[in-house]
């Protein structure tokens, strides 16, 4: 028989909801794909639990129960490069990493710069293991020259615009994009890297690039790009979201802009708060090649500081699958990017929470309610009545990253062999278990 | 058997002093062979050496090939431009195909830093780096050090100035590591636009004024300046480069007595070096070429037959 009042209960876990501002042991009840109740343990609740069938109960004792995690920066590679990832495999990877929602970037082939491509992605994403939100292009074919039909994109459901992978180099075009996007109240996401300064660069410009004789991508290219866009944002009053922030000066620029009241938000990726560029010379591992590049310790520490003081409100993976064949190449010829959906949570736990930079509540906020509010996604909270997107985390589970365990079609992770702590145990999307770890 | 601490020569950055001394000592022996009427030894008989040149090179390739032949090795050349390779098979596939033909040692030149390391991961042969990107060119630095050591009977305490495009020069990088390991004092000199980021961390004296750099130096090693750097906006004109950094007779007065002028070639006469200086008695530019062959013979000899650790 089981419970009729509820469809499912998650029992005995520690519920953390950063939006509601609490963390306490509670049972979480689901009905009709919605959060129906959150109840502390009591004799009365125990009696209610007795009405459930075993199949309706997810035991979360010793685990954390949090809103389904949200990653606002992923590349799903479909259409165009289905050998590296498909929407289906990317969603499987998301679920395995504890993410119930992702926002995919438009640099597919063809680009997501038309209603047709937005629709294509949305159709392919139906009934998969994660929600897929679509970011449309700022400019046609991501060429930085003419605005894409942003109104059309938004009408079809695009949640933001970005030319990710490319910086909108022309300041006049960027200004128009910001002004135009304001009509639709969507954020403009920018890959902030002045391409004239970074042209031909392969790795962070530092003593490491000097030592290895590899052309540098200077930090100042990001700083200038961020400062320019903040200035444009100041005059347009639009919403600017700086993607994958990676340098000390860029973080400082965003910090100051926020103090001034400019509407700028930002995200940081695990590789910019975990890794440093002295890793590259060890084995020329092409999985360490990424844009913006892995920086030095000072920049890494500044990104952490930005996460700690709230300057950086989102943690995103910049999940960028590339086939093993493409990555098995000379360092400067391999495509840039690394996968991240299945390691982000553990890297946050191991490198931010275990090192006492962030509490679980702070970390969860940056992966749930913050991105949800900036981009207008559902979920991000466990408030009664919200969609039942829930992640159950085994907070201290020790595991080793293994290439053959990825759900992603690609293997381009620099963390293979890393011993990490923390893992998604169960991922629930719309009240349905989409991932259940061992 | 006591030998080199590695079975490859990928660069000089991490090569210990004992290894460099061993290579330079062995070079003495081979250098003498080159003065004999019959310049051939049976040392590498039965060994097959692949010269894998992904970048155009005449001197280095010929130097290696002659060194291999004088040691009686069988040699094969694989010369290609990286652009044509890019369209076809991957580097790993190319190399594994070649190795399937039973290659014992490979000499590699490539425009990408790190390719020699990459090769150690996809083939069993001993790998010798003949220049990778702007990273390292260890045999060039070894021959430069050998040439200096032959003249002064030491490297310790000598003042060596490396002049030119520090940013793009693998020869300078390998010289920095090798010379510092051997106790020489190293100075770098070039236009500030061609000094790479954080160049001070090489822990050398860095100059942008040529006259100051040369003061009290024993050896000046002058690098070829590539004209495409000017086109890339890194300096305004060849004329200005020559005025500021060209090695000419007038500048010799800054140097110590018994100074030495070096150039790894090919020279742009009248640009980075004047003909008067290049052809003077203190210039050892052609000795460098001869010594280069001996150094490569020594490296081939010392690495040949070295298997993976534990074998």
């Amino acid at each position: 028989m089981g419970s009729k009042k509820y469809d499912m209960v998650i029992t005995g876990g520690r519920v953390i909801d950063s939006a509601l501002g609490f963390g306490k042991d509670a049972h979480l009840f689901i009905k009709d794909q919605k959060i129906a109740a959150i109840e502390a343990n009591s004799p009365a609740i125990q009696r209610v639990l007795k009405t459930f069938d075993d199949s309706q109960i997810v035991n979360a004792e010793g685990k954390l129960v949090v809103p389904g995690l949200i990653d606002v920066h992923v590349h799903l590679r479909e259409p165009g490069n289905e050998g590296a990832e498909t929407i289906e495999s990317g969603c499987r990877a998301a679920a395995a990493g504890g993410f119930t929602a992702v926002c995919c970037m438009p640099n597919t082939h063809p680009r997501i710069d038309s209603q047709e491509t937005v629709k294509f992605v949305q159709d392919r994403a139906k009934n998969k293991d994660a929600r897929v939100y679509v970011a449309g292009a700022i400019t046609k074919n991501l060429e930085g020259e003419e605005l894409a039909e942003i109104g059309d994109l938004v009408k079809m459901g695009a949640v933001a615009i970005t030319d990710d992978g490319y910086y909108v180099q022309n300041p006049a075009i960027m200004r128009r994009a910001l002004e135009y996007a304001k009509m639709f109240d969507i954020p403009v996401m920018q890959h902030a890297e002045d391409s004239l300064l970074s042209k031909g660069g392969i790795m962070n410009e530092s003593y490491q690039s000097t030592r290895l004789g590899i052309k540098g991508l200077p930090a100042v290219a990001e700083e200038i790009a961020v400062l320019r866009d903040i200035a444009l944002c100041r005059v347009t009053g639009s919403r600017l979201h700086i993607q994958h922030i990676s340098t000390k000066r860029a973080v400082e620029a965003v910090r100051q802009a926020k103090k001034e009241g400019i509407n700028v938000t930002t995200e940081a990726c695990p590789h910019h708060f975990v890794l440093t560029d002295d890793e590259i010379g060890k084995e020329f591992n092409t999985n360490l090649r990424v844009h913006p590049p892995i920086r030095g310790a000072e920049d890494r520490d500044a990104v952490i500081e930005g996460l700690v003081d709230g300057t950086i409100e989102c943690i995103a993976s910049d999940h960028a699958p590339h086939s093993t064949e493409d990555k098995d190449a000379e360092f400067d010829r391999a495509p840039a990017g690394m996968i991240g959906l299945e390691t982000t949570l553990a890297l946050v736990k191991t490198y931010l929470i275990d090192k006492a930079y962030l509490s679980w509540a702070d970390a969860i906020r940056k992966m749930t309610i913050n991105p949800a509010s900036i981009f207008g996604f559902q979920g991000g909270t466990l408030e009664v009545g919200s969609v039942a997107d829930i992640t159950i985390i085994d907070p201290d589970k020790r595991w080793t990253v293994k290439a053959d365990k990825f759900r992603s079609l690609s293997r381009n992770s620099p963390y293979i062999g890393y011993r990490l702590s923390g893992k998604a145990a169960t991922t629930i999307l719309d009240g349905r278990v989409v991932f259940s770890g061992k | 058997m006591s030998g080199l601490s590695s079975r490859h020569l990928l660069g000089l950055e991490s090569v210990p002093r004992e290894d460099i001394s061993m290579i330079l000592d062995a070079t003495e022996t081979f250098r003498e062979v080159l003065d004999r009427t019959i310049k051939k030894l049976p040392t590498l008989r039965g060994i097959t050496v692949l010269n894998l040149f992904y970048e155009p090179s005449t001197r280095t390739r010929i130097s290696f090939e002659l060194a291999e032949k004088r040691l009686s090795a069988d040699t094969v050349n694989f010369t290609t431009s990286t652009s044509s390779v890019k369209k076809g098979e991957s580097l790993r596939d190319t190399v594994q195909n070649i190795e399937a033909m039973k290659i014992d040692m490979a000499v590699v030149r490539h425009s990408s830093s790190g390719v020699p390391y990459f090769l150690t991961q996809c083939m069993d042969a001993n790998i010798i780096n003949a220049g990778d990107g702007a990273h390292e060119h260890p045999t060039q630095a070894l021959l430069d050090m050998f040439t200096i050591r032959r003249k002064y009977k030491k490297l310790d305490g000598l003042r060596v100035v490396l002049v030119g495009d520090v940013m793009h020069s693998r020869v300078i990088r390998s010289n920095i590591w090798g010379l510092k390991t051997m106790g020489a004092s190293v100075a770098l000199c070039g236009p500030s636009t061609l000094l790479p980021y954080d160049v001070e961390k090489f822990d050398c004296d860095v100059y942008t004024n040529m006259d100051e750099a040369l003061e009290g130096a024993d050896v000046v090693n002058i690098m070829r300046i590539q004209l495409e750097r000017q086109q890339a906006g890194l300096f305004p004109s060849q004329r200005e480069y020559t005025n500021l950094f060209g090695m000419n007779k007038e500048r010799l007065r800054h140097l110590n007595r018994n100074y030495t002028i070096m150039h790894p070639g090919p020279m742009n006469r009248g640009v980075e070096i004047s003909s008067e200086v290049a052809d003077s008695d203190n210039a050892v530019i052609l000795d460098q070429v001869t010594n280069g062959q001996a150094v490569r013979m020594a490296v081939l000899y010392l690495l040949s037959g070295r298997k993976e650790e534990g074998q």
Side-chain angles (χ1 to χ4, degrees):
Chain A
M1 272 290 283
S3 170
K4 288 197 188 103
K5 193 174 174 194
Y6 301 113
D7 299 329
M8 187 195 281
V9 62
I10 300 166
T11 61
R14 182 168 182 79
V15 177
I16 298 178
D17 187 318
S18 307
L20 298 177
F22 74 70
K24 62 186 177 196
D25 294 340
H27 308 294
L28 193 140
F29 297 86
I30 298 164
K31 175 71 176 171
D32 295 335
Q33 292 102 54
K34 296 273 192 301
I35 311 284
I38 304 175
E39 299 289 352
N41 201 16
S42 69
I45 287 298
Q46 282 298 325
R47 281 193 295 279
V48 174
L49 291 180
K50 289 212 170 66
T51 67
F52 281 76
D53 277 348
D54 282 355
S55 63
Q56 294 178 298
I57 300 175
V58 177
N59 183 350
E61 263 172 62
K63 301 197 170 70
L64 307 178
V65 179
V66 308
L69 304 179
I70 296 167
D71 187 342
V72 294
H73 193 147
V74 305
H75 298 268
L76 297 179
R77 300 297 187 223
E78 188 180 353
N81 193 3
E82 294 83 355
E85 197 80 286
T86 62
I87 291 167
E88 182 174 10
S89 66
C91 288
R92 263 203 312 272
F99 291 91
T100 55
V102 298
C103 177
C104 67
M105 296 296 113
N107 64 338
T108 48
H109 302 279
R111 313 305 200 177
I112 305 178
D113 62 357
S114 67
Q115 285 198 333
E116 291 72 27
T117 34
V118 174
K119 177 113 185 10
F120 173 84
V121 172
Q122 289 169 337
D123 287 348
R124 301 288 288 181
K126 275 184 190 140
N127 304 315
K128 298 297 187 290
D129 293 348
R131 289 178 205 287
V132 176
Y133 295 98
V134 181
I138 297 174
T139 63
K140 285 176 188 150
N141 206 26
L142 310 184
E143 282 169 355
E145 286 168 14
E146 284 176 57
L147 291 184
E149 290 177 320
I150 296 164
D152 252 21
L153 296 171
V154 172
K155 195 171 169 194
M156 190 51 77
V159 294
I161 49 170
T162 176
D163 277 0
D164 182 49
Y166 305 97
Y167 176 57
V168 180
Q169 182 70 46
N170 183 328
I173 302 278
M174 185 60 183
R175 177 186 179 173
R176 297 303 171 221
L178 284 162
E179 283 170 341
Y180 200 78
K182 206 176 159 186
M183 288 196 292
F184 311 104
D185 194 26
I186 53 163
V188 179
M189 305 169 86
Q190 176 77 287
H191 177 122
E193 190 174 39
D194 188 294
S195 46
L196 298 173
L197 275 168
S198 66
K199 192 177 170 196
I202 301 293
M203 66 177 286
N204 184 38
E205 180 178 82
S206 66
Y207 174 62
Q208 294 305 322
S209 63
T210 289
R211 209 190 117 223
L212 300 171
I214 293 176
K215 191 160 165 51
L217 288 156
V220 70
E222 178 169 307
E223 182 191 356
I224 285 179
V226 167
L227 285 169
R228 185 202 78 174
D229 287 351
I230 286 171
L232 291 173
C233 198
R234 185 186 288 123
V235 289
T236 56
S238 314
R239 296 168 58 191
L240 173 68
H241 179 82
I242 305 291
Q243 299 180 288
H244 42 47
I245 199 163
S246 72
T247 71
K248 182 182 169 179
R249 298 282 179 186
V251 172
E252 182 55 28
V254 170
R255 186 177 287 128
Q256 291 310 319
K258 286 184 174 196
K259 276 188 192 155
E260 206 190 306
I262 294 172
N263 202 344
V264 54
T265 56
T266 188
E267 71 194 28
C269 304
H271 41 280
H272 294 131
F273 58 74
V274 171
L275 301 169
T276 51
D277 58 5
D278 48 1
E279 294 290 319
I280 290 167
K282 293 176 185 167
E283 298 188 318
F284 297 91
N285 180 350
T286 56
N287 292 333
L288 292 165
R289 188 172 170 211
V290 62
H291 288 191
I294 295 161
R295 307 281 185 184
E298 199 183 350
D299 287 321
R300 179 201 56 193
D301 293 347
V303 169
I304 293 173
E305 201 188 325
L307 286 162
V308 170
D309 74 7
T311 302
I312 303 169
E313 51 277 90
C314 301
I315 293 170
S317 69
D318 194 3
H319 180 79
H322 290 290
S323 70
T324 304
E325 296 76 48
D326 284 347
K327 276 288 192 181
D328 186 29
E330 297 88 331
F331 190 82
D332 58 0
R333 276 151 219 244
M338 58 177 78
I339 55 170
L341 279 166
E342 294 168 78
T343 47
T344 293
L345 175 60
L347 292 165
V348 167
K349 166 61 167 48
T350 310
Y351 290 89
L352 296 177
I353 296 172
D354 284 352
K355 291 180 189 288
Y357 292 119
L358 295 184
S359 64
W360 268 110
D362 290 337
I364 295 304
R365 178 177 296 116
K366 291 178 196 297
M367 301 166 82
T368 56
I369 191 64
N370 284 359
S373 347
I374 294 167
F375 293 90
F377 299 166
Q378 54 183 329
T381 172
L382 297 174
E383 194 173 5
V384 170
S386 318
V387 64
D389 289 0
I390 302 156
T391 302
I392 302 173
I393 300 168
D394 193 343
D396 298 310
K397 185 184 172 70
R398 305 274 300 166
W399 61 290
T400 302
V401 183
K402 291 194 174 129
D404 58 0
K405 298 283 187 213
F406 286 123
R407 265 74 168 180
S408 169
L409 291 184
S410 290
R411 304 280 173 265
N412 55 311
S413 168
Y415 307 110
I416 291 164
Y418 274 49
R419 217 40 210 144
L420 300 175
S421 167
K423 203 169 192 309
T426 307
T427 308
I428 295 166
L429 176 70
D430 259 338
R432 169 175 66 100
V433 173
V434 287
F435 170 77
S436 183
K438 297 292 161 301
Chain B
M1 172 185 131
S2 74
L4 297 178
S5 53
S6 168
R7 58 185 295 266
H8 307 292
L9 180 65
L10 306 183
L12 293 187
E13 184 177 356
S14 56
V15 175
R17 189 179 172 111
E18 305 72 60
D19 282 17
I20 293 178
S21 293
M22 192 184 302
I23 294 168
L24 299 184
D25 291 346
T27 304
E28 293 287 356
T29 314
F30 292 110
R31 181 65 188 78
E32 271 146 44
V33 172
L34 294 178
D35 288 335
R36 295 181 197 163
T37 322
I38 306 290
K39 302 174 183 63
K40 190 141 176 148
L41 297 170
T43 318
L44 294 189
R45 187 179 291 157
I47 299 281
T48 308
V49 186
L50 164 68
N51 297 309
L52 189 57
F53 278 69
Y54 280 92
E55 226 184 32
S57 159
T58 311
R59 288 149 198 269
T60 305
R61 191 177 56 74
I62 289 176
S63 179
F64 266 108
E65 204 177 335
L66 270 173
E68 291 149 13
K69 292 197 156 116
R70 296 199 195 287
L71 292 173
S72 306
D74 296 314
T75 69
V76 271
N77 295 324
F78 182 97
T79 306
T80 180
S81 78
T82 35
S83 55
S84 67
V85 165
K86 203 175 175 184
K87 291 175 201 141
E89 64 186 352
S90 72
L91 177 60
R92 182 185 297 271
D93 283 337
T94 307
V95 167
Q96 287 179 341
N97 265 283
I98 294 167
E99 198 186 30
M101 299 175 201
K102 304 295 176 194
I103 297 296
D104 302 298
M105 308 182 81
V107 174
V108 62
R109 165 165 293 193
H110 198 290
S111 58
S112 299
S113 296
V115 162
Y117 175 84
F118 184 94
L119 292 199
T120 66
Q121 303 302 297
C122 53
M123 65 195 290
D124 290 330
N126 307 101
I127 306 297
I128 299 170
N129 182 1
D132 62 328
H135 182 216
E136 287 237 36
H137 190 357
T139 57
Q140 176 69 45
L142 286 164
L143 77 86
D144 290 342
M145 286 192 282
F146 177 79
T147 306
I148 299 168
R149 195 181 84 157
R150 225 177 177 218
K151 173 163 171 183
Y152 297 95
K153 312 295 173 213
K154 63 169 187 179
L155 287 160
D156 256 313
L158 291 175
R159 174 74 162 177
V160 181
V161 188
L162 305 166
V163 184
D165 182 356
V166 180
M167 185 178 297
H168 301 94
S169 175
R170 53 193 173 210
V171 175
I172 287 184
R173 280 176 182 74
S174 289
N175 262 285
I176 291 171
W177 304 126
L179 287 166
K180 280 164 55 83
T181 301
M182 299 311 286
S185 147
V186 182
L188 306 174
C189 181
S192 44
T193 45
L194 291 174
L195 294 174
Y197 192 87
D198 267 355
V199 67
E200 324 72 58
K201 291 196 180 161
F202 277 133
D203 201 20
C204 300
D205 298 318
V206 180
Y207 297 89
T208 50
N209 180 307
M210 182 76 163
D211 297 294
E212 285 171 21
L214 297 178
E215 205 57 52
D218 299 294
V219 178
V220 192
N221 198 346
I222 300 147
M223 304 296 139
R224 175 183 173 81
I225 185 74
Q226 291 188 311
L227 300 178
E228 58 258 38
R229 307 295 177 221
Q230 186 244 314
Q231 287 148 12
L234 290 164
F235 58 91
S237 68
Q238 186 180 303
R239 177 180 161 277
E240 180 149 310
Y241 185 87
T242 304
N243 287 341
L244 293 173
F245 299 98
M247 190 65 211
N248 54 36
K249 202 176 163 199
E250 163 65 14
R251 289 192 158 122
L252 295 174
R253 69 193 153 88
H254 299 293
L255 302 173
N256 285 347
R257 283 175 54 193
N258 197 28
Y259 66 87
T260 302
I261 302 291
M262 305 177 81
H263 193 302
M267 284 187 284
N268 292 309
R269 282 176 183 266
V271 183
E272 72 266 2
I273 188 168
S274 73
S275 279
E276 262 180 325
V277 172
D279 299 331
S280 70
D281 290 344
N282 292 63
V284 295
I285 295 162
L286 294 176
D287 295 333
Q288 287 174 269
V289 177
T290 313
N291 294 340
Q293 227 181 92
V295 157
R296 287 165 183 133
M297 289 167 81
V299 169
L300 286 159
Y301 161 70
L302 288 168
L303 292 178
S304 70
R306 293 288 308 274
K307 301 289 184 204
E308 291 289 359
E309 276 75 33
Q311 286 186 345

